Structure formats: C-alpha cells, structure tokens
Amino acid sequence: MKKTDIAVCGTGIVGLATALGLTRAGFRTVLVGPQRVIAPARPHCFGARVYAISPASRRFLESLGVWSLLDASRVTPVEAMQVFGDASGRLELNAWQDAQDVMAWIVESDEIERALTQAVRVFGVEWLNDRFVAFDAPGRICTESGSLIEVDLVVGAEGARSAVRDAAHIKSSSRAYDEMGVVTHLHVERPHQNTALQWFTAEGVIAFLPTPNTQAGAQVSLVWSMPKKAAEPLLAMAEDQARNWLNTHLAGLNHELGQVRVAAPVLGFPLFLESSDVIAPGVALVGDAAHRVHPLAGQGLNLGLGDVAALLNVLREKPSYQRAGDVRLLARYRRARAEPVFMMRFVTDGLHRLFSSRFPPVVIARNAGLSIVNTVPMLKRQLIKGASRH
Ligand SMILES: Cc1cc2nc3c(=O)[nH]c(=O)nc-3n(C[C@H](O)[C@H](O)[C@H](O)COP(=O)(O)OP(=O)(O)OC[C@H]3O[C@@H](n4cnc5c(N)ncnc54)[C@H](O)[C@@H]3O)c2cc1C
C-alpha cells in the first residue's frame, strides 16, 4: 500500500494548482484524477471556455511559477468594463479609477490547464490516472482501479459532483438557477479596446469578454446566462441554426462594436448556487467541490484559487508535530474562506435576484442604482478593488 502526506483528488485547474503548491511547499503529494489530453493551441483559434482571472489569482499563479508559462499572445488584459441595466442604467469602470492598469485577464481554460500540467510534470508530482472512489478506512482512500493510499489529508478538488465530499459525509446545499451558461466566440466589426461589456436583460445576463484578434479581425468571448426555456432549444439546434439564432438575438444590444457574428460552436453549462462545509477530519474541499456561484461576476475559479492559496498558507505554517489532516488545523482554513465565499455568494446571488425581478419599482431602482454608482468615484474604486481581491 502506498503511503504519502496528502492526496489531491481532482485534476481540473484547482486540483492541479493544489498539487503543485503542496509539492513546492515540501509535502509528499499524490494527484489522483483523469489525465486529460489537451490539444496544442492553434494560432487564431480560441477555445470557448475562457476565464476572467483576477489580479489576486494572477499573483497566486505567478507564485506557483505558472503565469509565465502562459502564451502571452493568448492572454487579454481587461482595462475597463461597461455595464448596462435593462432600462437606462449604465455603469463604467476603468482600472485607472483604482490606480491599476488592468482589472482582470481573459485566458482560455485549456491554456491555464496546459501551463499547470507542464509545471506539475516539471516538479515531478506523482499523478495517478485514476479516480477517488471511497474511504477504505479513516485516512485510507480507495481508487477506481483498486489502489489503496494511506494519507494524512485528502483534498477534494473534483468539482461540483465531489465524491470526496460525499464519502466524508460533508453536508452541502444546492439550488439550480433556471438558467444555462451559453458560451461561444464572436467576431466583431470594431476593436474592443480591451473593454468587457455586460448587459442585464430580460433574457438573462450577457457578457462580451475581450479576446485576442484573429486573422478575421476583432473577437470577443460570449457568456450568456440564458433562461433554460430559451437555452435548451438553442443548444438542441443544428450548429448553423444556433449561430443564426444568436446572431439575430445579439443584434439588438447597445454597443459600439458594430456587427456581431458567431465564430465557434455554441456550448452550454447548467448554473447552480452551491455551498458546503469545507472540512472534516482529514479532509479539505477546494474549488467547485466546496462552492459554486453564478458566473455573472466571473469569479468561480478565482474563488477556487483563493481556497488553494489559503489552504497552502495554513499547511505551510503547520507546526511539525501536527498532522496535515488535524481538524483543528483545518479549522483555520475554514475560517479564512468563510467571509470571501459568503460575500461572493451574497453579491452574485443578490445581483441575480435584483435583475431577475420584473416588479416595476425594482426595475427603476436597479437602473437608477447603476447610474448613481457611475457618478461616485469612491464607490467605483471599491467595486474594482472588491473584484481584484478574490
Ligand atoms: C458559463 C461559465 C462561465 C464561467 N466563467 C468564469 C470566469 O470568467 N472566471 C472564473 O473565475 N470562473 C468562471 N466560472 C467558474 C469556473 O468554471 C469553475 O469555478 C472552475 O472551472 C472550477 O474548477 P475546479 O477545478 O474546481 O473543478 P472542475 O473544473 O470541475 O474540475 C474537476 C476535476 O476533477 C475530476 N474528477 C471528477 N471526479 C473525480 C474523482 N472521483 N476522482 C478524481 N478526479 C475526479 C474531473 O475529471 C475534473 O478534471 C464559470 C463557470 C461557468 C459555468
């Protein structure tokens, strides 16, 4: 039977970052999860899954030595953001309003995963192409292929359907938004000026995130949190038909990018609000295994990377006599994450509820609210600061 300090279960971005950080910090770590083959990046061709990476996440990826492994020509800085209400409300945020150059960076999911996989291999992290199945006994995990591993701590990073969370009997609560996150790439006629655009509409929240130009010209990535009753038929359409539907429905938006044309396959993801306790004796949860939030603020992965940074801090400061899975030690990790995760749930769910209401006074108030914030520099500074922190 294999013995090690820590097993990280889950090989998405959060699991890879956890295993890398723990190995760099000197813990004997085994990574358990599928080894996905990531196709080499193709010039002028961008994946549909992109993330808005916050300054805090960038600093964390830099500290792991991963940021510099990203292909800089595939990373787009977001210098400004324009938010439109569903009536006349409008808010404009610029990075310089908080004395920053950039508010976030748009990076493809595959690009981050590729860089992390490279770093994990360079640091010699042991990676079992397997899956966590159950606890065979306290402190002993069993994988799909039948391997048994004895560990002090199991980190559950297997995303929303966390088997570690279930096996450790950690309670979680989940509420489905009646929406799908519809994503694709769009050609636009005029340059996006590194500005992200977001509309709160009766058909859901629509975001255009700036991405690098291709031979065909300027591009943005679309993230549309669309009611299921519209999204499900759209996702069931033939590709040409889906593209035409989106081209027509996006034509009515108010912006300065000119004509918009869908340039890639259309994908959809169901949206949930989910949270759970994040620890049990010998167990810690990170990333989507611990929480899921509405993507309207583009913060789910940033929260997950914040979990990893906090867990690493706690474990690095561990006295040598204490075991990594000691629940008193892990309680410090729980305390460190309680407020940021609560605030992100509160803000994203609150905004979602506010803009889902069709009640006329609420419609007037939310649009007036956006326009009022737009005139108060201090509030704008706080909004930019808040988004950078996670
Ligand atoms: C439409 C949309 C847009 C978004 N935009 C943004 C954004 O702009 N910015 C942002 O910060 N966040 C964004 N998010 C959130 C982000 O996608 C997630 O928070 C993030 O992908 C979670 O990463 P993860 O590694 O925790 O989980 P996952 O990516 O789900 O990875 C889990 C991994 O665990 C593996 N696994 C599963 N079961 C097991 C098992 N039993 N044993 C071992 N391994 C297992 C899986 O194969 C997978 O590799 C968005 C989400 C949506 C839906």
Side-chain angles (χ1 to χ4, degrees), residues 83-87 198-202 204-206 296 351-352 355 370:
V83 184
F84 304 88
D86 50 350
Q198 190 167 40
W199 295 264
F200 287 86
T201 77
V205 185
I206 304 175
L296 64 83
L351 275 173
H352 181 261
F355 278 93
L370 277 182

Side-chain angles (χ1 to χ4, degrees), residues 8-16 32-34 36 49-54 57 106 109 113 130-133 157-164 180-183 209 223-225 269-271 286-289 291-293 295 297-304:
V8 177
C9 302
T11 41
I13 292 173
V14 173
L16 290 167
V32 182
R36 190 166 79 86
R49 273 320 283 267
V50 302
Y51 296 122
I53 296 295
S54 69
S57 291
I106 307 299
S109 179
E113 223 174 300
D130 207 337
R131 296 173 82 84
F132 169 92
V133 174
E158 332 101 292
R161 279 182 291 277
S162 167
V164 170
M180 303 278 287
V182 172
V183 301
L209 306 175
V223 185
W224 185 342
S225 308
F269 303 88
L271 304 182
V286 289
D288 276 17
H291 41 66
R292 280 204 283 177
V293 293
Q299 292 288 352
L301 178 64
N302 291 316
L303 264 192

Side-chain angles (χ1 to χ4, degrees), residues 4 15 25 29 31 189-190 203 239 260 266 341-343 352 367 379 381 385:
T4 191
T29 306
L31 182 56
E189 234 178 329
R190 286 192 279 278
E203 287 80 37
E239 194 170 317
V260 165
V266 181
V341 173
F342 173 81
M343 282 310 289
H352 181 261
N367 283 286
L379 282 177
R381 218 163 31 241
K385 238 194 244 317

Side-chain angles (χ1 to χ4, degrees), residues 5-176:
D5 296 333
I6 302 177
V8 177
C9 302
T11 41
I13 292 173
V14 173
L16 290 167
T18 311
L20 178 62
L22 288 168
T23 303
R24 291 186 57 136
F27 292 93
R28 288 180 309 149
T29 306
V30 174
L31 182 56
V32 182
Q35 290 176 358
R36 190 166 79 86
V37 180
I38 305 168
R42 285 190 294 149
H44 298 289
C45 184
F46 293 89
R49 273 320 283 267
V50 302
Y51 296 122
I53 296 295
S54 69
S57 291
R58 174 182 168 150
R59 282 193 296 278
F60 176 60
L61 292 172
E62 278 170 349
S63 75
L64 294 180
V66 168
W67 188 261
S68 60
L69 299 177
L70 298 174
D71 176 347
S73 70
R74 303 184 80 92
V75 176
T76 312
V78 181
E79 290 159 10
M81 183 168 183
Q82 293 179 1
V83 184
F84 304 88
D86 50 350
S88 56
R90 185 177 173 144
L91 172 63
E92 282 187 40
L93 299 171
N94 282 283
W96 55 260
Q97 285 160 340
D98 187 42
Q100 300 181 25
D101 295 330
V102 175
M103 298 169 80
W105 290 264
I106 307 299
V107 193
E108 296 157 280
S109 179
D110 275 0
E111 188 59 25
I112 307 177
E113 223 174 300
R114 190 178 297 115
L116 274 164
T117 303
Q118 193 182 335
V120 156
R121 299 216 187 280
V122 167
F123 274 87
V125 179
E126 189 180 352
W127 183 341
L128 302 184
N129 190 5
D130 207 337
R131 296 173 82 84
F132 169 92
V133 174
F135 288 100
D136 180 57
R140 204 160 71 195
I141 68 167
C142 177
T143 69
E144 202 170 53
S145 72
S147 301
L148 295 177
I149 312 170
E150 208 170 285
V151 290
D152 280 347
L153 172 66
V154 179
V155 180
E158 332 101 292
R161 279 182 291 277
S162 167
V164 170
R165 185 181 66 203
D166 294 346
H169 304 295
I170 297 180
K171 283 208 179 77
S172 63
S173 68
S174 174
R175 170 155 59 85

